[in-house]
Amino acid sequence: MGILEKISEIEKEIARTQKNKATEYHLGLLKAKLAKYRAQLLEPSKSASSKGEGFDVMKSGDARVALIGFPSVGKSTFLSLMTSTASEAASYEFTTLTCIPGVIEYKGANIQLLDLPGIIEGAAQGKGRGRQVIAVARTADVVIMMLDATKGEVQRSLLEKELESVGIRLNKHKPNIYFKPKKGGGISFNSTVTLTQCSEKLVQLILHEYKIFNAEVLFREDCSPDEFIDVIVGNRVYMPCLYHQPPPSQSQVYNKIDQISMEEVDRLARKPNSVVISCGMKLNLDYLLEMLWEYLALTCIYTKKRGQRPDFTDAIILRKGASVEHVCHRIHRSLASQFKYALVWGTSTKYSPQRVGLTHTMEHEDVIQIVKK
């Protein structure tokens, strides 16, 4: 029996098993086996050919955004509208066969936008170049899930299932579980909260499935067996997703809203992490950019030389929460070691200018002047 057949059998058994206290250990083991087989499926075979044309796009700019969706939902049209790159668009499926990059210039930042080929059900198993598309999506900072507003909710659930099966967790945070394999001493299990989904016995069974017999495990939040398995595997990617509606790493965007009723548009727009747009009529694209900026959590910092006006033409783009030390490293790798103090103007200070040190947290559109020793 091949890996695909084993995965299918386990998925069927999980689906027909009732969820209760008596079956929790059995379900936990099934989920651990499922995760193992999926990991084997994603390992590149030694006889595999070289990467497909157009998929080895170099990461550039201040952030990377991947467009994911089924064929003919408007990804190429969206790329052409938002960037200066022309991506071939047509009314038939699979017009785009490679990864086509473009650049969105917004608030002083260069955001790399990747138009990926449409994926189909079974993409995680390699159908329709699905593995290559998903591999590129794993390198993105945010995923925009492009959906056809005329086709209901089925597209969203199918795409989420494909991405989940290859370790992409959308709009989720990394489980707060401390896990460290050891060379001896057995399994040390502790928790700082009351656990309702996992028990010490279930944790041990899952670890034994992975041939781990010595480890330290500390639960700092009430996590499920699936989340614990994610921690053991260790290669999960947690990113925001935007669906056609608002806010962070996976976004869901509903296109073709000009073809549905206003009541349906209103319903879709009120869903979490969703934005509704129309590429054909160029509706709501500005709001989508605003939401994308929020999800990326980028900050513009402007620099100033002594006795001169700030340079508002060339911003330093950093992540939210960046400190003065991050600014120094971005300007020059040796600047932090020569740092004496900095003067900062902006919302991060009580008064302007304020003298600060390396640990001061910068905010959007702050101006900084660095003084060396």
Side-chain angles (χ1 to χ4, degrees):
M1 186 184 290
I3 294 178
L4 285 174
E5 288 80 10
K6 289 178 181 177
I7 289 174
S8 178
E9 286 296 317
I10 293 173
E11 286 177 339
K12 287 175 184 175
E13 188 170 350
I14 290 173
R16 64 173 174 257
T17 303
Q18 288 186 342
K19 294 180 180 178
N20 53 49
K21 278 286 182 184
T23 61
E24 65 177 6
Y25 300 121
H26 179 59
L27 283 171
L29 282 175
L30 288 176
K31 288 174 179 177
K33 288 179 180 178
L34 185 62
K36 279 178 65 178
Y37 287 134
R38 281 176 173 165
Q40 291 175 26
L41 191 66
L42 292 173
E43 288 174 3
S45 59
K46 295 178 181 178
S47 60
S49 57
S50 59
K51 289 182 180 179
E53 179 193 351
F55 279 84
D56 50 347
V57 176
M58 183 180 292
K59 198 167 185 176
S60 66
D62 302 298
R64 171 178 274 197
V65 176
L67 275 174
I68 279 191
F70 283 99
S72 293
V73 293
K75 298 186 299 297
S76 297
T77 305
F78 180 76
L79 179 83
S80 300
L81 281 175
M82 305 302 286
T83 72
S84 58
T85 304
S87 181
E88 186 182 352
S91 58
Y92 55 86
E93 296 186 345
F94 296 107
T95 313
T96 303
L97 297 175
T98 61
C99 177
I100 300 174
V103 176
I104 300 174
E105 295 179 3
Y106 187 69
K107 291 187 178 181
N110 290 325
I111 302 168
Q112 186 182 46
L113 182 66
L114 299 181
D115 177 18
L116 296 170
I119 63 176
I120 57 176
E121 191 175 359
Q125 282 78 46
K127 291 183 181 178
R129 304 187 82 178
R131 283 195 213 173
Q132 292 166 301
V133 173
I134 292 170
V136 174
R138 285 175 67 94
T139 68
D141 299 299
V142 169
V143 168
I144 291 183
M145 191 179 284
M146 185 78 70
L147 305 171
D148 188 337
T150 65
K151 294 186 178 179
E153 297 295 304
V154 64
Q155 287 191 340
R156 175 176 175 170
S157 57
L158 285 172
L159 283 170
E160 284 182 339
K161 182 182 177 184
E162 293 297 329
L163 296 177
E164 286 271 331
S165 68
V166 294
I168 296 178
R169 303 289 180 257
L170 303 175
N171 293 334
K172 293 181 181 178
H173 67 276
K174 190 173 181 179
N176 194 358
I177 300 173
Y178 174 78
F179 170 70
K180 183 180 180 182
K182 299 187 298 184
K183 292 184 178 178
I187 293 172
S188 170
F189 176 87
N190 281 296
S191 66
T192 59
V193 295
T194 302
L195 300 180
T196 61
Q197 304 175 77
C198 268
S199 65
E200 183 174 358
K201 181 182 176 183
L202 180 55
V203 166
Q204 289 177 344
L205 286 171
I206 292 172
L207 288 172
H208 290 171
E209 180 64 33
Y210 280 89
K211 303 293 189 291
I212 298 172
F213 303 99
N214 303 287
E216 284 182 43
V217 179
L218 173 62
F219 277 69
R220 298 193 182 100
E221 63 177 336
D222 187 15
C223 294
S224 66
D226 295 294
E227 290 172 317
F228 179 59
I229 291 167
D230 286 348
V231 171
I232 297 171
V233 175
N235 64 349
R236 303 311 192 215
V237 177
Y238 299 86
M239 64 170 65
C241 171
L242 189 57
Y243 305 88
H244 264 310
Q245 276 181 10
S249 241
Q250 187 200 4
S251 301
Q252 178 179 343
V253 179
Y254 293 94
N255 192 17
K256 306 182 183 179
I257 59 166
D258 52 309
Q259 299 176 23
I260 59 175
S261 66
M262 284 303 298
E263 290 78 9
E264 182 66 7
V265 170
D266 183 64
R267 188 188 70 82
L268 293 174
R270 293 179 186 277
K271 297 183 68 176
N273 304 320
S274 301
V275 178
V276 292
I277 65 167
S278 170
C279 290
M281 298 179 70
K282 300 181 181 178
L283 296 175
N284 217 26
L285 297 178
D286 290 342
Y287 179 62
L288 175 57
L289 275 179
E290 287 179 29
M291 295 310 305
L292 186 58
W293 182 264
E294 282 190 37
Y295 273 75
L296 287 169
L298 297 177
T299 303
C300 290
I301 309 296
Y302 300 105
T303 56
K304 177 187 179 302
K305 293 181 180 178
R306 183 179 293 179
Q308 297 182 18
R309 295 181 64 82
D311 182 8
F312 292 115
T313 60
D314 188 18
I316 296 174
I317 308 297
L318 298 168
R319 297 286 175 181
K320 273 185 183 176
S323 65
V324 172
E325 187 173 6
H326 291 114
V327 177
C328 292
H329 286 311
R330 180 60 66 90
I331 295 171
H332 196 276
R333 61 187 178 185
S334 66
L335 186 57
S337 60
Q338 302 170 0
F339 178 87
K340 186 176 182 182
Y341 65 89
L343 296 174
V344 175
W345 293 257
T347 56
S348 69
T349 58
K350 291 183 179 178
Y351 43 86
S352 297
Q354 181 174 323
R355 183 167 167 167
V356 300
L358 283 172
T359 57
H360 176 76
T361 302
M362 304 293 289
E363 291 185 4
H364 185 55
E365 295 188 338
D366 276 359
V367 175
I368 185 170
Q369 175 186 321
I370 296 172
V371 178
K372 296 194 290 186
K373 293 177 184 175

